[in-house]
């Protein structure tokens, strides 16, 4: 239906009807994904992660597609436990002393229940939903067929890579790992070891302890954490002593164990830790958590320093391990972006089969990047002075299609990890933005990228000395980004003092990115679309 609708109605003479066409398609896709559930929810989330670059109706629709699926009944939970352990979760011969029938959270492939061990500790029990493993192979097969038809028969667009590769090359393998809770437990242990070995993060970040004796491939038991999810912005600001008194009563009702608790450091300390954590994953460890959305992050008082916050990272089912060569290339790209080293940017872009380094740079930094010279890759202003917003809907779409084909010159060269890292980066940016941009995310990420190049393995002493010199120069260049950040903070403070709505650094980046997308690509990006 989608294909026929576009084939019949995406025509020059029907340009004024294209917004209604996009709206119909968005409704069909959303209803398809939500009614089927499981993997379909994940496909929708992959689309939603890139929704700022889709037609406005799809932005509006897929912004609401969160991982909040219906719960399975307790009878299904009981069936899983009998299959995995040969006994029920609770009761005279049960595994736990107490097992709450009502789930505290439900996602596309699993749901979480609160339980109490017979030794007295409270735990979180994650249970895989029945039939998920049976459905996935068929769903992936159907998805692969549809993507191939779209690319080769229908639309002549590299959709097989941009969406298909996300699942078929990377996620297909990772989904099997994500559905194996023994593997998830191992991922959690690896991450905990990395954190313990990094002085800047040890103690500031906690990975919940897993109980292997109560865990199988389909059931995972980990320690229960009392804290505030990052998605609850009012409660987070209240916990950190930055919310008005009117919000305290409602927050206390939702988190009775934290009533009256006020931690030091403000939301700035939380975001500093978070940005450093995911920068370390990308540039130092090469071990990247692929779903750092606010629901997977809990803030609690530090067990040994109760006046300070500790960040708790949940859901370790999906990680991507990246090669040393890719880490160096990605770090070089980030350093080149912030140091305006166009040669380095073009070199990495061409190495990855990308034909428009300026668009790639903008998507990486999540802020507009324009070359000061015409790119050797041929991404100069070949369209002259014509702006995309001056074109009608049909002409904008055709231009966007042409730019996408120029962007992906050679999809075989592009590292598939970029899709995961790009999503990770956007979510971390969104977390910073909704808390008022308390930290200079770009500067912190840039420092980790540049510093990681000085510690790369297999470098001759002359190469290492050169990297240290580049790092010192880079720190000097970062002063300009610091100046822009603090100028933004001063404006934000002045507006707040005048009783006006304040605009943070990430909000300003979003506003310029929206203008860039409109003028360059003809995409009408909704306000707040980059909030992760």
């Amino acid at each position: 239906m989608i294909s026929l609708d576009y084939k019949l109605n995406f025509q020059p003479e029907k340009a004024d009807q294209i917004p209604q066409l996009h709206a119909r398609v968005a409704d069909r896709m959303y209803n398809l994904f939500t009614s089927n559930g499981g993997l379909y929810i994940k496909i929708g989330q992959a689309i939603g992660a890139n929704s700022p670059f889709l037609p406005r109706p799809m932005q509006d629709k897929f912004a609401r597609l969160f991982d909040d699926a219906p719960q399975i009944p307790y009878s299904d939970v009981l069936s899983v436990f009998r299959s995995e352990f040969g006994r029920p979760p609770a009761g005279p011969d049960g595994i736990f002393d107490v097992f709450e029938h009502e789930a505290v959270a439900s996602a596309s492939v699993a749901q979480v229940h609160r339980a109490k061990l017979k030794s007295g500790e409270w735990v979180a029990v994650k249970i895989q939903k029945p039939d998920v493993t049976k459905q996935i192979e068929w769903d992936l097969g159907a998805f692969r067929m549809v993507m191939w038809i779209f690319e080769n028969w229908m639309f002549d667009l590299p959709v097989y890579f941009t969406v298909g590769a996300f699942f078929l090359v990377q996620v297909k393998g990772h989904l099997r790992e994500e559905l194996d809770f023994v593997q998830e437990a191992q991922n959690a242990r690896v991450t905990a070891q990395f954190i313990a070995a990094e002085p800047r993060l040890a103690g500031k970040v906690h990975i919940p302890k897993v109980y292997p004796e109560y865990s199988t491939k389909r059931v995972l038991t980990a320690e229960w954490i009392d804290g505030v999810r990052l998605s609850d912005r009012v409660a987070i600001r209240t916990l950190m002593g930055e919310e008005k008194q009117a919000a305290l009563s409602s927050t206390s009702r939702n988190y009775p164990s934290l009533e009256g608790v006020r931690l030091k450091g403000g939301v700035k300390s939380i975001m500093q830790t978070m940005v450093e954590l995911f920068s370390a994953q990308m540039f130092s460890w090469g071990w990247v958590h692929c779903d750092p959305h606010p629901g997977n992050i809990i803030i609690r008082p530090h067990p040994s320093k109760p006046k300070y916050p500790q960040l708790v990272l949940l859901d370790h089912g999906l990680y991507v391990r990246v090669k040393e060569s890719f880490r160096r290339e990605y770090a070089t790209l980030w350093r080149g972006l912030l140091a305006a080293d166009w040669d380095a940017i073009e070199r990495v872009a061409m190495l990855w089969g990308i034909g428009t380094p300026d668009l790639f740079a903008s998507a990486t930094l999540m802020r507009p990047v324009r070359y000061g010279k015409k790119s050797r890759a041929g991404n100069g202003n070949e369209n002259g002075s014509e702006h995309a917003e001056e074109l009608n809907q049909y002409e904008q779409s055709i231009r966007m299609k042409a730019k996408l084909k120029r962007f992906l010159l050679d999809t075989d060269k592009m590292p598939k990890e970029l899709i995961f890292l790009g999503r990770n980066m956007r979510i971390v940016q969104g977390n910073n933005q909704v808390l008022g941009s308390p930290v200079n995310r770009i500067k912190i990420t840039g420092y980790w990228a540049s510093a990681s190049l000085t510690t790369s393995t297999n470098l001759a002493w002359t190469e290492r000395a050169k990297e240290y010199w580049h790092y010192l120069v880079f720190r000097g260049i970062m002063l300009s980004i610091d100046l822009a950040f603090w100028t933004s903070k001063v404006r934000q403070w002045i507006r707040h003092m005048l009783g006006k709505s304040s605009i943070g650094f990430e909000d300003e980046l979003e506003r310029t990115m929206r203008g860039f997308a409109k003028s360059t690509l003809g995409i009408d990006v909704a306000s707040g679309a980059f909030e992760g």
Side-chain angles (χ1 to χ4, degrees), residues 14 39 101 109 155 166 184 186 227 249 255 258 265 295 318 335 355 418 465 487 492 516:
K14 296 182 180 180
L39 179 63
H101 288 203
V109 300
F155 304 123
F166 181 85
E184 179 171 345
Q186 175 61 18
S249 59
Y255 307 96
L258 297 174
L318 185 57
R335 186 176 67 186
L418 276 177
T487 300
Q492 189 177 0
F516 176 80

Side-chain angles (χ1 to χ4, degrees), residues 230 274 277-278 281-282 288-297 311 313-315 318 420-431 532:
L230 195 70
M274 185 184 306
L277 170 62
F278 290 104
Q281 289 184 4
M282 286 185 282
V288 184
H289 186 292
C290 292
D291 204 13
H293 67 74
N296 280 341
I297 296 169
L311 186 152
L313 184 62
L314 309 177
D315 195 352
L318 185 57
F420 289 98
L421 267 60
R423 181 173 187 270
N424 179 298
M425 196 76 71
R426 283 197 297 279
I427 294 176
V428 172
Q429 179 201 13
N431 293 339

Side-chain angles (χ1 to χ4, degrees), residues 64 124 151 154 160 192 260 331 361 510:
R64 302 199 301 269
E151 178 166 329
M154 289 289 185
Y160 190 79
E510 180 195 307

Side-chain angles (χ1 to χ4, degrees), residues 22-37:
H22 289 322
R24 289 196 302 273
V25 168
D27 285 339
R28 286 193 188 111
M29 292 170 68
Y30 184 84
N31 293 338
L32 170 72
F33 296 149
T34 54
S35 61
N36 279 294

Side-chain angles (χ1 to χ4, degrees), residues 5 11 23 28 37 49 92 199 232 249 262 276 306 324 326 364 403 446-447:
D5 206 350
Q11 304 294 338
R28 286 193 188 111
D232 193 339
S249 59
R262 298 296 172 266
E276 290 199 345
E324 172 70 16
F326 172 81
T364 301
K403 281 183 174 288
Y447 275 149

Side-chain angles (χ1 to χ4, degrees), residues 357-369:
D358 53 347
L359 293 182
F360 178 55
S362 300
T364 301
L365 279 181
M366 296 303 291
R367 72 173 188 182
V369 175

